[in-house]
Amino acid sequence: MVGIGYRKDFAEDFASNNVLTPSFIEVAPENWMNVGGYYKKLLDKALEKHPLFAHGLSLSVGSPEGIDVDFVKQIKKFLDDTNTVEYSEHLSFSKCDNAHLFDLLPIPFTADAVKHVAKNIALAQDILERKIAIEIVSYYSPIAAEMTELEFINNVIKEADCNLLLDVNNIYVNSFNHQYNAKEFLANLDLERVKYIHMAGHTQVSEDLIIDTHGENIIDPVYDLFGFAMQQLDRDVPVLLERDFNIPELEILQQEMSQLQNIKTNSLKHTAHVTS
Amino acid sequence: MLLAKTHQHQSKLATYCRTGNSVTIEGAVQKNLTHYRRLVFNNVLDSLETAYPLTQKLLDPKDWELLVHRFFSYYNIQSPQIWMMPEEFKNYILETELILTKQYPFLENLLTFEWLEVEVFMMPDIPHHKAPPETYVLNPEMDMMMVNYPVHLKNANTITKDDKGTYFICMHRDPDTGNVQFTNLSIPFVDVIECLSKKPLTDIQIKEILKKYAQDEIIETAFLDFINKATSTKLIFTS
């Protein structure tokens, strides 16, 4: 399965032609909960043909003050109402000291943060009555790290007993920004927990920094890392193409999705797990 | 339990993103932190500019950016949904930015007008009922507001104290395109809309309402003008 991040920018074209043929679509619940109108109607129409994956933005599992239980209950209603297949969120914080910031800030890689974040994820999973796939986020600076990023991620997902969203582009971005071997990093993750993969483009802003913009085409080294990830996983996992800005013609997006499917198929051709 | 020092590191980063005031965080790559401030602030700025294009245009660009900066620095945003954040910006200005609201007495009306457009655009769908024979029904996806300045009729830069009065605005969502349209209403037609919000009305019933406000010869023309405009914009529907 290869899906697409559903965006208002192409919602009309998506409804009126068959250029894009994703196996599923993904939205952020925050942008669609308790709303109506033209774009909601288009989304409802899209959901008649495509299963939904939901990718949250504001759960903020890394918030020092914990998660917002009322908000999680609203998320649950959205997931139930839309028959969402998979719900994912970010290993980051976007709320601190009682204020939302609407961006994904890095959590300090510390032992106490592992416990705290795992507790937040576990509470959200209890309320949602489902496991969350937690995404490894791209980051541009560590904050008071006392352990490696890899240790932090593996410890959190084990302690929270949650799933993992493998954002291959983020791993590439982080390996570039923080100078480590992306394949080695990936191979040492708890890959059994991977339930979902994200793929996207990025922007290099200086000779030693890449920003995760979702505003460019996927580059070859990231495709290469994706092929490596599929070989390591050795099983079929849903893959999403994310494109939030600078959105090209739908034909280009479809080509990227086809390329992802081809890489997946080739990587897994020795198994019988592939579905289109 | 999260240690106080870990919380403090997170607070420092969050505060830096909100204020842009330089900060030293243990183990951080200082030059890269600036990207967080840029990304976070631009995200908020973009959302507010989308919600309040008229207010943004009214203010000097530097003043606008400083206003957003003060809002984001000092106000704790409560909504986890970014599209709802501009309502908090409006409330922040009306409660806190007293110099600005004194400088522009119509600012409250302007902000409320612009926010109402967002609210009507985003409001949950409401079932439309078919008009019974020979009646008119109101588009349920609508809202009304009263203002003291004609923020819906005049460029904000040209509004003066002389424009002060009582104006009524009806905002509704086109069920086919989703576009929001507004209608300037006089008091008799506010009465008509309020009655239509309770039940479908016939020509005769609408004219009966208007009779409270005007003579017969004026009513006929006003009635036809209103019906033509309101049906063409889909504020009301007929069978």
Side-chain angles (χ1 to χ4, degrees):
Chain A
M1 292 172 81
V2 178
I4 186 85
Y6 183 82
R7 301 289 173 260
K8 287 177 182 173
D9 307 69
F10 59 74
E12 285 181 321
D13 288 341
F14 187 61
S16 62
N17 64 44
N18 294 316
V19 176
L20 271 184
T21 57
S23 302
F24 63 93
I25 59 174
E26 185 204 84
V27 300
E30 289 83 350
N31 295 337
W32 298 95
M33 291 188 314
N34 311 317
V35 307
Y38 180 66
Y39 287 103
K40 182 62 166 44
K41 285 189 179 79
L42 289 178
L43 174 63
D44 290 343
K45 194 175 165 188
L47 291 180
E48 288 171 7
K49 295 181 187 170
H50 302 89
L52 182 69
F53 283 50
H55 187 50
L57 298 169
S58 296
L59 184 58
S60 196
V61 297
S63 276
E65 59 259 57
I67 56 168
D68 178 343
V69 168
D70 288 340
F71 173 63
V72 181
K73 287 176 181 171
Q74 287 185 57
I75 294 279
K76 181 177 184 344
K77 184 173 185 319
F78 178 86
L79 302 182
D80 291 345
D81 289 350
T82 54
N83 293 316
T84 296
V85 176
E86 191 77 53
Y87 173 58
S88 56
E89 251 289 359
H90 301 87
L91 186 54
S92 63
F93 71 104
S94 58
K95 185 183 183 190
C96 188
D97 301 330
N98 193 33
H100 282 278
L101 291 112
F102 305 113
D103 213 329
L104 310 170
L105 303 182
I107 303 166
F109 301 150
T110 63
D112 59 310
V114 167
K115 299 272 183 201
H116 180 73
V117 172
K119 198 174 139 194
N120 286 341
I121 296 171
L123 175 59
Q125 290 185 145
D126 281 349
I127 297 168
L128 294 170
E129 299 180 280
R130 63 166 74 206
K131 285 198 178 183
I132 305 172
I134 291 291
E135 176 181 336
I136 301 166
V137 296
S138 51
Y139 67 107
Y140 314 121
S141 169
I143 302 295
E146 292 173 357
M147 62 177 73
T148 66
E149 180 194 359
L150 186 65
E151 287 169 333
F152 182 73
I153 294 163
N154 280 339
N155 288 343
V156 166
I157 59 170
K158 184 181 176 191
E159 183 101 11
D161 190 21
C162 62
N163 293 326
L164 189 60
L165 192 174
L166 196 64
D167 189 315
V168 175
N169 178 60
N170 287 353
I171 292 173
Y172 178 85
V173 168
N174 290 342
S175 72
F176 180 89
N177 290 345
H178 308 293
Q179 298 175 359
Y180 57 71
N181 184 306
K183 289 181 179 174
E184 200 175 295
F185 178 94
L186 201 150
N188 283 294
L189 287 167
D190 185 353
L191 296 177
E192 287 294 312
R193 292 182 183 269
V194 173
K195 288 286 183 284
Y196 190 26
I197 293 175
H198 273 182
M199 288 287 287
H202 56 246
T203 304
Q204 187 167 349
V205 296
S206 69
E207 65 177 19
D208 60 356
L209 188 70
I210 295 175
I211 302 286
D212 176 30
T213 55
H214 300 178
E216 305 289 338
N217 294 346
I218 300 168
I219 62 169
D220 286 342
V222 178
Y223 278 124
D224 178 57
L225 190 58
F226 171 61
F228 176 79
M230 291 313 304
Q231 288 165 12
Q232 293 292 305
L233 287 165
D234 197 24
R235 61 191 160 86
D236 200 3
V237 175
V239 181
L240 180 94
L241 173 63
E242 291 183 294
R243 189 68 181 254
D244 297 336
F245 303 103
N246 191 25
I247 294 174
E249 297 294 319
L250 296 191
E251 285 82 358
I252 305 290
L253 293 180
Q254 183 57 43
Q255 282 169 21
E256 285 193 299
M257 288 170 55
S258 299
Q259 192 162 347
L260 291 172
Q261 183 60 55
N262 290 340
I263 292 169
K264 186 154 76 155
T265 305
N266 290 334
S267 300
L268 301 176
K269 63 185 173 188
H270 61 290
T271 71
H273 301 302
V274 183
T275 55
S276 58
Chain B
M1 186 179 163
L2 197 67
L3 297 177
K5 66 172 185 177
T6 306
H7 186 162
Q8 196 178 34
H9 293 313
Q10 293 183 263
S11 287
K12 277 186 175 180
L13 178 60
T15 303
Y16 169 64
C17 289
R18 292 174 65 181
T19 65
N21 295 335
S22 63
V23 66
T24 303
I25 302 174
E26 187 187 318
V29 182
Q30 292 300 131
K31 71 182 174 70
N32 290 353
L33 293 184
T34 58
H35 290 283
Y36 281 113
R37 162 65 180 170
R38 178 178 60 81
L39 294 165
V40 168
F41 184 73
N42 285 344
N43 199 18
V44 171
L45 189 68
D46 287 349
S47 295
L48 293 173
E49 289 179 356
T50 302
Y52 296 111
L54 303 178
T55 305
Q56 185 204 354
K57 207 173 163 188
L58 171 72
L59 301 180
D60 174 85
K62 205 170 178 180
D63 290 342
W64 166 257
E65 198 164 318
L66 282 171
L67 177 63
V68 175
H69 170 74
R70 289 196 297 276
F71 163 67
F72 196 46
S73 296
Y74 306 130
Y75 179 84
N76 292 337
I77 297 170
Q78 295 301 296
S79 175
Q81 294 179 268
I82 194 167
W83 75 266
M84 293 179 75
M85 179 265 291
E87 184 178 27
E88 298 186 56
F89 177 71
K90 170 178 72 77
N91 295 338
Y92 160 82
I93 291 175
L94 300 181
E95 286 164 15
T96 316
E97 295 282 341
L98 302 181
I99 295 172
L100 200 64
T101 51
K102 196 173 177 187
Q103 184 182 356
Y104 300 106
F106 55 85
L107 190 60
E108 178 175 2
N109 287 171
L110 184 62
L111 288 164
T112 308
F113 173 65
E114 294 199 270
W115 175 244
L116 187 65
E117 183 178 351
V118 176
E119 274 194 322
V120 172
F121 184 77
M122 298 294 283
M123 68 161 52
D125 295 338
I126 301 172
H128 286 241
H129 297 294
K130 202 177 170 191
E134 296 180 3
T135 64
Y136 297 97
V137 292
L138 184 66
N139 180 339
E141 293 171 342
M142 57 80 67
D143 207 342
M144 277 200 295
M145 66 183 287
M146 189 193 84
V147 290
N148 294 316
Y149 292 92
V151 291
H152 56 308
L153 301 174
K154 292 182 75 171
N155 183 323
N157 282 305
T158 67
I159 296 174
T160 66
K161 282 182 180 172
D162 293 340
D163 291 312
K164 193 168 182 183
T166 305
Y167 304 86
F168 295 92
I169 307 169
C170 179
M171 200 93 77
H172 72 279
R173 186 165 73 195
D174 184 312
D176 299 319
T177 67
N179 292 334
V180 175
Q181 303 197 47
F182 70 85
T183 309
N184 180 55
L185 294 175
S186 58
I187 289 177
F189 289 103
V190 172
D191 200 352
V192 170
I193 294 292
E194 281 178 347
C195 291
L196 276 168
S197 71
K198 291 174 190 143
K199 62 175 185 178
L201 298 175
T202 63
D203 283 10
I204 295 167
Q205 287 170 318
I206 292 174
K207 286 175 188 171
E208 282 298 318
I209 295 166
L210 297 176
K211 270 184 190 171
K212 290 189 278 179
Y213 303 94
Q215 294 168 337
D216 286 354
E217 55 270 29
I218 301 173
I219 288 170
E220 192 59 37
T221 312
F223 169 79
L224 286 173
D225 285 350
F226 172 75
I227 291 296
N228 287 337
K229 188 178 178 198
T231 52
S232 69
T233 62
K234 299 174 193 164
L235 171 60
I236 62 172
F237 301 95
T238 187
S239 49

